[in-house]
Amino acid sequence: MTHPKTMTQLLKLKGLKVSNITFRSREKAIYLAVKPHKNGCRCPECGRRCKIKRILPESRTWRDISVCGWTIFFVYAPKEIVCPTHGRAQEDIPWADAHARVSYRLEFLMLTYAQLMTQKAAAQLLHIAKSTFSDILHRTIDRVRDGHRIRGLRCIGVDEVSYRKGHKYVTVVYDLERSCVLWVGQGKGRATIDEFFNTFLSAYQRKQIQWACCDMSETFIGALKEHCPNAKLVLDRFHLVKALNAAVDEVRKEQWRHVSREERKVLKGIRWILFRNDSDRTREDRRVLQSLRKSNRRIHRASILKDEFQQFWDFKAPWAARRFLKRWSTTTLKSRLEPFRKFVTTLRKHSEDIITFVECRITNAVSEGLNRIIRMIKNRASGFRSVKAFIDLIYLSIGDLDIPAQTPTRFRTL
Ligand SMILES: [Zn+2]
């Protein structure tokens, strides 16, 4: 076997023809003079084989993956062609994107690594400067997402995620059926959410949405009601439980302020026992709660009300759930606990949107899981230079299209 042929087989260069091999030991690089094999001279627009106008005077270099510490480079002088439809253009390069300086398979490797580890670690593994690495990464993600259209959306979820201290938020739109992120936009106001609906969904698509899930913020509710005329709104269970827990905690804090030092000893460490689901409480936890019955009636009452509300999530029939909510609200109002009265006010205001949960059992649970991944991305990078970088990484990890798999790989190694 000749050397170029061995090289072609070793590096899996199918569709390429190696004509010359140069080892440069000082830079630990192997330069391969290559050319497209049986697929050259194609128009980048339509893929038709065209007439050659001329060979461009300067040869270009593409970086490929490394083998045993040797970095492989492709060297090739592209041809200028004349397409009957598209006119003069540089021929399509089968192993890389038109303006890229790395091959598709290195791109693929970079994207896959970036999903798994910090960019710094990935750049080190691939022996690429970190700034170059992130440049190529973001350019590739942009290219793959460019012109991407959302399909088959029936179940939408909206939530906000903070990405930096000081109330910097991004709005994240989820497809709850396929559990992926559809879109991420900077800010959390009405303008942000409007931008999503106006630019990415057609009127038909908006009508197709059947369920919409969000928290209790008026902005999201208003936007979803306006943009998705056929969607049933479901208020997210997690956010509701969170609000209820906040009310319980408010009662606890208020009591803490009023009781004597002696009584405070009893209240110590009670916070997490209160937040826990009744089924998760230990015998000891229950004993502590029971003791409150004598020592602090108000906190005891709050904990009972909270536990009672838990039943709501098990109802199967909307009418029963509605009756339960009504009774629970009345009892709660009689309890004279101010934070709970506030909670009931919100509950009554959104009661129909809460009851829809009983019918469809949709929660943002999927999005809570995805949120965890987003937090992981955020922590892993320990801060992003720009929102754009953060958004790109969300798309890369849990976006609605598998970005690494979208890079064309004629000769993929992974
Ligand atoms: Zn063409």
Side-chain angles (χ1 to χ4, degrees):
M1 210 187 268
T2 57
H3 289 317
K5 261 197 171 164
T6 318
M7 212 48 142
T8 315
Q9 282 224 327
L10 183 69
L11 301 176
K12 290 191 183 169
L13 303 176
K14 216 175 162 191
L16 287 188
K17 200 166 189 184
V18 180
S19 55
N20 191 23
I21 309 165
T22 321
F23 279 80
R24 293 195 192 164
S25 10
R26 193 172 289 170
E27 31 175 320
K28 272 291 218 175
I30 305 174
Y31 283 80
L32 301 178
V34 295
K35 60 180 179 185
H37 182 55
K38 288 182 182 166
N39 57 0
C41 311
R42 289 189 188 275
C43 167
E45 300 279 335
C46 57
R48 202 183 318 177
R49 294 195 79 167
C50 310
K51 265 191 188 154
I52 302 169
K53 177 83 178 166
R54 63 177 178 138
I55 297 174
L56 291 174
E58 268 178 47
S59 57
R60 285 175 60 192
T61 312
W62 291 263
R63 192 187 163 134
D64 193 35
I65 51 161
S66 313
V67 178
C68 302
W70 293 91
T71 312
I72 313 280
F73 286 98
F74 296 154
V75 185
Y76 177 62
K79 299 182 179 91
E80 196 180 66
I81 50 149
V82 187
C83 172
T85 329
H86 302 98
R88 283 166 70 158
Q90 196 191 97
E91 69 170 320
D92 184 43
I93 307 289
W95 56 82
D97 187 54
H99 301 288
R101 299 177 67 181
V102 296
S103 67
Y104 280 135
R105 62 180 182 183
L106 181 58
E107 256 174 23
F108 177 78
L109 209 60
M110 289 167 75
L111 291 171
T112 316
Y113 279 7
Q115 279 185 330
L116 301 171
M117 54 187 99
T118 60
Q119 286 185 39
K120 200 177 160 192
Q124 263 178 6
L125 268 179
L126 295 168
H127 299 287
I128 301 173
K130 195 182 165 255
S131 54
T132 321
F133 184 91
S134 67
D135 277 356
I136 297 173
L137 194 71
H138 296 305
R139 214 173 301 150
T140 314
I141 293 170
D142 275 352
R143 189 191 73 220
V144 175
R145 280 199 66 85
D146 188 33
H148 167 65
R149 297 202 64 79
I150 293 165
R151 287 201 181 87
L153 177 64
R154 292 196 319 145
C155 200
I156 193 176
V158 187
D159 204 355
E160 71 215 15
V161 178
S162 89
Y163 67 92
R164 201 186 291 162
K165 272 184 192 162
H167 299 284
K168 299 267 188 181
Y169 288 95
V170 286
T171 300
V172 186
V173 181
Y174 305 94
D175 183 335
L176 296 178
E177 247 178 353
R178 290 187 297 152
S179 57
C180 57
V181 170
L182 292 175
W183 185 78
V184 188
Q186 193 177 0
K188 60 167 184 171
R190 180 66 192 259
T192 315
I193 189 89
D194 279 349
E195 189 195 335
F196 167 75
F197 281 110
N198 292 333
T199 14
F200 293 93
L201 293 184
S202 63
Y204 173 76
Q205 280 178 310
R206 288 201 290 264
K207 275 184 200 152
Q208 288 303 102
I209 299 175
Q210 285 167 12
W211 304 101
C213 191
C214 68
D215 61 4
M216 277 167 292
S217 89
E218 291 298 328
T219 330
F220 288 157
I221 294 177
L224 286 173
K225 279 197 171 149
E226 189 190 313
H227 290 292
C228 320
N230 297 335
K232 273 199 176 169
L233 199 67
V234 190
L235 286 190
D236 184 37
R237 175 178 169 170
F238 285 82
H239 283 92
L240 208 64
V241 172
K242 211 168 134 188
L244 186 58
N245 274 338
V248 176
D249 204 39
E250 198 59 40
V251 175
R252 184 191 65 86
K253 277 184 198 157
E254 182 189 280
Q255 289 302 302
W256 179 268
R257 268 180 246 124
H258 289 122
V259 296
S260 65
R261 184 173 292 174
E262 201 51 37
E263 280 171 291
R264 276 189 188 180
K265 272 185 193 161
V266 188
L267 294 185
K268 235 178 193 174
I270 208 166
R271 189 169 177 222
W272 298 108
I273 299 179
L274 288 172
F275 282 3
R276 229 164 265 163
N277 270 343
D278 192 46
S279 52
D280 299 336
R281 285 188 188 128
T282 61
R283 193 178 284 176
E284 176 62 20
D285 291 345
R286 294 219 177 88
R287 201 187 55 75
V288 173
L289 282 184
Q290 271 303 316
S291 74
L292 281 180
R293 192 173 179 171
K294 288 194 190 98
S295 58
N296 197 316
R297 301 282 305 255
R298 282 178 79 83
I299 297 188
H300 182 71
R301 209 178 300 146
S303 84
I304 296 280
L305 283 173
K306 190 213 140 189
D307 291 347
E308 269 178 10
F309 192 76
Q310 193 65 30
Q311 292 172 22
F312 173 76
W313 308 113
D314 298 330
F315 280 105
K316 297 279 186 298
W319 61 268
R322 199 169 288 122
R323 197 181 59 185
F324 169 80
L325 270 193
K326 217 173 190 175
R327 281 193 191 155
W328 188 85
S329 307
T330 323
T331 333
T332 309
L333 286 183
K334 281 182 196 151
S335 72
R336 299 193 307 278
L337 296 168
E338 199 45 44
F340 273 83
R341 298 171 80 104
K342 264 187 214 151
F343 179 76
V344 169
T345 319
T346 4
L347 205 65
R348 285 196 166 157
K349 196 165 155 200
H350 302 297
S351 66
E352 280 313 304
D353 300 331
I354 293 167
I355 286 165
T356 41
F357 169 84
V358 174
E359 293 169 54
C360 69
R361 307 250 141 212
I362 288 172
T363 64
N364 259 353
V366 172
S367 79
E368 293 298 316
L370 294 174
N371 269 350
R372 212 169 302 137
I373 301 178
I374 293 177
R375 265 201 303 280
M376 209 169 74
I377 295 168
K378 191 171 76 180
N379 296 340
R380 195 159 63 191
S382 54
F384 283 92
R385 264 181 305 170
S386 65
V387 204
K388 172 87 178 44
F390 179 50
I391 292 176
D392 270 357
L393 274 194
I394 294 176
Y395 283 143
L396 175 64
S397 305
I398 41 177
D400 62 335
L401 79 174
D402 186 359
I403 291 180
Q406 299 293 319
T407 54
T409 39
R410 284 275 172 77
F411 37 91
R412 198 181 274 178
T413 47
L414 268 183

PDB file of all heavy atoms in Angstrom, residues 47-62:
ATOM      1  N   GLY A  47     -25.221  22.226  -5.589  1.00  0.00           N
ATOM      2  CA  GLY A  47     -24.556  20.929  -5.573  1.00  0.00           C
ATOM      3  C   GLY A  47     -24.278  20.353  -6.945  1.00  0.00           C
ATOM      4  O   GLY A  47     -23.796  19.223  -7.074  1.00  0.00           O
ATOM      5  N   ARG A  48     -24.579  21.103  -8.006  1.00  0.00           N
ATOM      6  CA  ARG A  48     -24.342  20.609  -9.366  1.00  0.00           C
ATOM      7  C   ARG A  48     -22.856  20.677  -9.698  1.00  0.00           C
ATOM      8  O   ARG A  48     -22.143  21.548  -9.219  1.00  0.00           O
ATOM      9  CB  ARG A  48     -25.108  21.493 -10.345  1.00  0.00           C
ATOM     10  CG  ARG A  48     -25.382  20.829 -11.658  1.00  0.00           C
ATOM     11  CD  ARG A  48     -26.068  21.759 -12.614  1.00  0.00           C
ATOM     12  NE  ARG A  48     -27.125  22.580 -11.989  1.00  0.00           N
ATOM     13  CZ  ARG A  48     -27.796  23.493 -12.664  1.00  0.00           C
ATOM     14  NH1 ARG A  48     -27.549  23.734 -13.934  1.00  0.00           N
ATOM     15  NH2 ARG A  48     -28.732  24.204 -12.072  1.00  0.00           N
ATOM     16  N   ARG A  49     -22.385  19.722 -10.487  1.00  0.00           N
ATOM     17  CA  ARG A  49     -20.981  19.793 -10.907  1.00  0.00           C
ATOM     18  C   ARG A  49     -20.860  20.813 -12.029  1.00  0.00           C
ATOM     19  O   ARG A  49     -21.639  20.821 -12.967  1.00  0.00           O
ATOM     20  CB  ARG A  49     -20.497  18.428 -11.396  1.00  0.00           C
ATOM     21  CG  ARG A  49     -20.464  17.412 -10.286  1.00  0.00           C
ATOM     22  CD  ARG A  49     -19.671  16.220 -10.679  1.00  0.00           C
ATOM     23  NE  ARG A  49     -18.247  16.491 -10.548  1.00  0.00           N
ATOM     24  CZ  ARG A  49     -17.332  15.544 -10.583  1.00  0.00           C
ATOM     25  NH1 ARG A  49     -17.668  14.287 -10.761  1.00  0.00           N
ATOM     26  NH2 ARG A  49     -16.059  15.850 -10.457  1.00  0.00           N
ATOM     27  N   CYS A  50     -19.871  21.678 -11.897  1.00  0.00           N
ATOM     28  CA  CYS A  50     -19.777  22.796 -12.839  1.00  0.00           C
ATOM     29  C   CYS A  50     -18.408  22.865 -13.504  1.00  0.00           C
ATOM     30  O   CYS A  50     -17.473  22.157 -13.129  1.00  0.00           O
ATOM     31  CB  CYS A  50     -20.039  24.117 -12.128  1.00  0.00           C
ATOM     32  SG  CYS A  50     -21.522  24.105 -11.154  1.00  0.00           S
ATOM     33  N   LYS A  51     -18.358  23.764 -14.482  1.00  0.00           N
ATOM     34  CA  LYS A  51     -17.091  23.988 -15.184  1.00  0.00           C
ATOM     35  C   LYS A  51     -16.116  24.765 -14.300  1.00  0.00           C
ATOM     36  O   LYS A  51     -16.522  25.657 -13.553  1.00  0.00           O
ATOM     37  CB  LYS A  51     -17.356  24.814 -16.444  1.00  0.00           C
ATOM     38  CG  LYS A  51     -17.533  23.972 -17.673  1.00  0.00           C
ATOM     39  CD  LYS A  51     -17.509  24.861 -18.893  1.00  0.00           C
ATOM     40  CE  LYS A  51     -17.884  24.057 -20.123  1.00  0.00           C
ATOM     41  NZ  LYS A  51     -18.456  24.908 -21.154  1.00  0.00           N
ATOM     42  N   ILE A  52     -14.836  24.444 -14.449  1.00  0.00           N
ATOM     43  CA  ILE A  52     -13.831  25.177 -13.666  1.00  0.00           C
ATOM     44  C   ILE A  52     -13.466  26.458 -14.396  1.00  0.00           C
ATOM     45  O   ILE A  52     -13.200  26.454 -15.594  1.00  0.00           O
ATOM     46  CB  ILE A  52     -12.564  24.316 -13.499  1.00  0.00           C
ATOM     47  CG1 ILE A  52     -12.929  22.993 -12.815  1.00  0.00           C
ATOM     48  CG2 ILE A  52     -11.507  25.060 -12.687  1.00  0.00           C
ATOM     49  CD1 ILE A  52     -11.832  21.972 -12.840  1.00  0.00           C
ATOM     50  N   LYS A  53     -13.474  27.550 -13.650  1.00  0.00           N
ATOM     51  CA  LYS A  53     -13.041  28.811 -14.243  1.00  0.00           C
ATOM     52  C   LYS A  53     -11.519  28.927 -14.089  1.00  0.00           C
ATOM     53  O   LYS A  53     -10.791  29.162 -15.028  1.00  0.00           O
ATOM     54  CB  LYS A  53     -13.743  29.967 -13.519  1.00  0.00           C
ATOM     55  CG  LYS A  53     -13.347  31.332 -13.981  1.00  0.00           C
ATOM     56  CD  LYS A  53     -14.139  31.718 -15.215  1.00  0.00           C
ATOM     57  CE  LYS A  53     -13.746  33.145 -15.636  1.00  0.00           C
ATOM     58  NZ  LYS A  53     -14.229  33.427 -16.999  1.00  0.00           N
ATOM     59  N   ARG A  54     -11.066  28.769 -12.847  1.00  0.00           N
ATOM     60  CA  ARG A  54      -9.639  28.807 -12.587  1.00  0.00           C
ATOM     61  C   ARG A  54      -9.365  28.186 -11.220  1.00  0.00           C
ATOM     62  O   ARG A  54     -10.285  27.999 -10.423  1.00  0.00           O
ATOM     63  CB  ARG A  54      -9.117  30.241 -12.618  1.00  0.00           C
ATOM     64  CG  ARG A  54      -9.749  31.081 -11.534  1.00  0.00           C
ATOM     65  CD  ARG A  54      -9.215  32.478 -11.496  1.00  0.00           C
ATOM     66  NE  ARG A  54      -9.929  33.207 -10.442  1.00  0.00           N
ATOM     67  CZ  ARG A  54      -9.364  34.039  -9.599  1.00  0.00           C
ATOM     68  NH1 ARG A  54      -8.075  34.292  -9.664  1.00  0.00           N
ATOM     69  NH2 ARG A  54     -10.059  34.651  -8.679  1.00  0.00           N
ATOM     70  N   ILE A  55      -8.105  27.891 -10.978  1.00  0.00           N
ATOM     71  CA  ILE A  55      -7.718  27.428  -9.645  1.00  0.00           C
ATOM     72  C   ILE A  55      -7.266  28.648  -8.874  1.00  0.00           C
ATOM     73  O   ILE A  55      -6.456  29.435  -9.365  1.00  0.00           O
ATOM     74  CB  ILE A  55      -6.586  26.394  -9.735  1.00  0.00           C
ATOM     75  CG1 ILE A  55      -7.082  25.154 -10.499  1.00  0.00           C
ATOM     76  CG2 ILE A  55      -6.115  25.999  -8.340  1.00  0.00           C
ATOM     77  CD1 ILE A  55      -6.020  24.128 -10.776  1.00  0.00           C
ATOM     78  N   LEU A  56      -7.801  28.834  -7.676  1.00  0.00           N
ATOM     79  CA  LEU A  56      -7.431  30.005  -6.902  1.00  0.00           C
ATOM     80  C   LEU A  56      -5.942  29.936  -6.557  1.00  0.00           C
ATOM     81  O   LEU A  56      -5.420  28.881  -6.224  1.00  0.00           O
ATOM     82  CB  LEU A  56      -8.270  30.096  -5.625  1.00  0.00           C
ATOM     83  CG  LEU A  56      -9.753  30.411  -5.857  1.00  0.00           C
ATOM     84  CD1 LEU A  56     -10.527  30.348  -4.554  1.00  0.00           C
ATOM     85  CD2 LEU A  56      -9.940  31.768  -6.520  1.00  0.00           C
ATOM     86  N   PRO A  57      -5.257  31.081  -6.643  1.00  0.00           N
ATOM     87  CA  PRO A  57      -3.800  31.064  -6.473  1.00  0.00           C
ATOM     88  C   PRO A  57      -3.339  30.626  -5.087  1.00  0.00           C
ATOM     89  O   PRO A  57      -2.270  30.051  -4.959  1.00  0.00           O
ATOM     90  CB  PRO A  57      -3.400  32.517  -6.747  1.00  0.00           C
ATOM     91  CG  PRO A  57      -4.641  33.314  -6.547  1.00  0.00           C
ATOM     92  CD  PRO A  57      -5.767  32.423  -6.925  1.00  0.00           C
ATOM     93  N   GLU A  58      -4.129  30.941  -4.067  1.00  0.00           N
ATOM     94  CA  GLU A  58      -3.664  30.606  -2.727  1.00  0.00           C
ATOM     95  C   GLU A  58      -4.303  29.330  -2.215  1.00  0.00           C
ATOM     96  O   GLU A  58      -5.519  29.174  -2.268  1.00  0.00           O
ATOM     97  CB  GLU A  58      -4.005  31.756  -1.775  1.00  0.00           C
ATOM     98  CG  GLU A  58      -2.882  32.767  -1.661  1.00  0.00           C
ATOM     99  CD  GLU A  58      -3.244  33.906  -0.758  1.00  0.00           C
ATOM    100  OE1 GLU A  58      -3.754  33.636   0.346  1.00  0.00           O
ATOM    101  OE2 GLU A  58      -3.040  35.066  -1.175  1.00  0.00           O
ATOM    102  N   SER A  59      -3.489  28.452  -1.676  1.00  0.00           N
ATOM    103  CA  SER A  59      -4.066  27.240  -1.104  1.00  0.00           C
ATOM    104  C   SER A  59      -4.472  27.535   0.338  1.00  0.00           C
ATOM    105  O   SER A  59      -3.854  28.344   1.026  1.00  0.00           O
ATOM    106  CB  SER A  59      -3.069  26.087  -1.157  1.00  0.00           C
ATOM    107  OG  SER A  59      -1.899  26.444  -0.489  1.00  0.00           O
ATOM    108  N   ARG A  60      -5.539  26.871   0.763  1.00  0.00           N
ATOM    109  CA  ARG A  60      -6.043  27.093   2.119  1.00  0.00           C
ATOM    110  C   ARG A  60      -5.703  25.905   3.012  1.00  0.00           C
ATOM    111  O   ARG A  60      -5.440  24.810   2.521  1.00  0.00           O
ATOM    112  CB  ARG A  60      -7.558  27.286   2.089  1.00  0.00           C
ATOM    113  CG  ARG A  60      -7.982  28.639   1.562  1.00  0.00           C
ATOM    114  CD  ARG A  60      -9.482  28.711   1.453  1.00  0.00           C
ATOM    115  NE  ARG A  60     -10.148  28.504   2.742  1.00  0.00           N
ATOM    116  CZ  ARG A  60     -11.448  28.295   2.876  1.00  0.00           C
ATOM    117  NH1 ARG A  60     -12.227  28.254   1.814  1.00  0.00           N
ATOM    118  NH2 ARG A  60     -11.990  28.115   4.062  1.00  0.00           N
ATOM    119  N   THR A  61      -5.720  26.158   4.313  1.00  0.00           N
ATOM    120  CA  THR A  61      -5.394  25.108   5.274  1.00  0.00           C
ATOM    121  C   THR A  61      -6.562  24.914   6.238  1.00  0.00           C
ATOM    122  O   THR A  61      -7.127  25.886   6.710  1.00  0.00           O
ATOM    123  CB  THR A  61      -4.151  25.507   6.085  1.00  0.00           C
ATOM    124  OG1 THR A  61      -3.163  25.958   5.168  1.00  0.00           O
ATOM    125  CG2 THR A  61      -3.624  24.353   6.892  1.00  0.00           C
ATOM    126  N   TRP A  62      -6.928  23.650   6.471  1.00  0.00           N
ATOM    127  CA  TRP A  62      -7.983  23.351   7.444  1.00  0.00           C
ATOM    128  C   TRP A  62      -7.402  22.475   8.532  1.00  0.00           C
ATOM    129  O   TRP A  62      -6.672  21.531   8.239  1.00  0.00           O
ATOM    130  CB  TRP A  62      -9.140  22.599   6.792  1.00  0.00           C
ATOM    131  CG  TRP A  62      -9.921  23.398   5.838  1.00  0.00           C
ATOM    132  CD1 TRP A  62     -11.085  24.053   6.084  1.00  0.00           C
ATOM    133  CD2 TRP A  62      -9.621  23.618   4.447  1.00  0.00           C
ATOM    134  NE1 TRP A  62     -11.529  24.675   4.957  1.00  0.00           N
ATOM    135  CE2 TRP A  62     -10.654  24.423   3.928  1.00  0.00           C
ATOM    136  CE3 TRP A  62      -8.596  23.218   3.589  1.00  0.00           C
ATOM    137  CZ2 TRP A  62     -10.690  24.839   2.611  1.00  0.00           C
ATOM    138  CZ3 TRP A  62      -8.625  23.619   2.282  1.00  0.00           C
ATOM    139  CH2 TRP A  62      -9.665  24.432   1.794  1.00  0.00           C
TER     140      TRP A  62
END
